[in-house]
Amino acid sequence: MVKKRQILVIGNNTKGCLPNHEKIAYEVGVEIAKSGSVLICGGLGGVMTAAAHGAKDANGLTVGIIPQNDPSEANEFCDIVIPTGMGLARDFLNALSADGVIIVGGGSGTLSETCAAYMHKKPMVAIRNLNSSVDPYIDGYLDHRENIKIVGADTPQEAVQKILELLSP
């Protein structure tokens, strides 16, 4: 059996998540499911809920890795819930569980997950022009080590296409 690709979607939680972020995240989720990949997210609100919802509507498989102990705290669109009880340290689990990452807006938590993925050289694609903490690094690197470029995309479809290209052997 061939392992399925696992794509992490990160971005704004409920606070700071605008309708535009939700629409884009939903479409990213649909495209991930259509590609046959597994959608991984932080399992909570905002971009996480919207992306998981999109993947579920497209008959995809979703995994929510939540910071709490109680699996009932995950959003309703997570097929598999991994309650870590680790709080913010779960950002590293999210990044390490993914083959690649798509970034839809976000604040400091998103930047934390981006840094974790960057340190482990996970391919990343970020949607441009969402006024996020990651915006200054799109089409560039987080630091002088130039571990992995954060590739920019203008649409959900382009973001998924680019991450799939980056993950191809």
Side-chain angles (χ1 to χ4, degrees):
M1 184 173 158
V2 177
K3 177 191 167 295
K4 288 187 170 228
R5 282 181 305 260
Q6 298 177 180
I7 301 174
L8 174 65
V9 178
I10 60 176
N12 294 88
N13 199 336
T14 304
K15 290 182 183 177
C17 189
L18 303 173
N20 186 42
H21 297 129
E22 290 177 341
K23 180 180 183 301
I24 290 168
Y26 179 90
E27 292 175 20
V28 165
V30 167
E31 294 298 319
I32 288 171
K34 285 169 47 178
S35 79
S37 303
V38 175
L39 182 135
I40 299 175
C41 67
L44 301 177
V47 161
M48 297 171 276
T49 297
H53 187 180
K56 287 304 301 169
D57 282 356
N59 298 311
L61 179 64
T62 61
V63 178
I65 303 173
I66 64 171
Q68 298 92 342
N69 293 337
D70 182 357
S72 71
E73 302 217 25
N75 73 61
E76 64 191 279
F77 303 105
C78 293
D79 293 312
I80 298 167
V81 177
I82 301 170
T84 66
M86 297 176 70
L88 297 176
R90 80 77 153 85
D91 291 354
F92 281 83
L93 285 180
N94 289 355
L96 288 170
S97 296
D99 297 312
V101 181
I102 296 178
I103 306 163
V104 182
S108 61
T110 302
L111 189 57
S112 171
E113 286 173 301
T114 302
C115 288
Y118 182 82
M119 288 186 282
H120 292 280
K121 300 180 182 176
K122 300 289 183 168
M124 289 184 274
V125 175
I127 305 284
R128 291 187 186 97
N129 302 315
L130 293 181
N131 200 23
S132 84
S133 60
V134 179
D135 281 358
Y137 309 105
I138 295 176
D139 295 317
Y141 303 92
L142 283 175
D143 67 15
H144 65 281
R145 289 175 282 198
E146 297 186 357
N147 283 351
I148 191 121
K149 189 177 212 175
I150 299 172
V151 176
D154 295 312
T155 67
Q157 295 77 15
E158 182 186 6
V160 174
Q161 177 188 2
K162 285 186 175 187
I163 201 68
L164 293 174
E165 288 170 4
L166 292 169
L167 295 175
S168 293

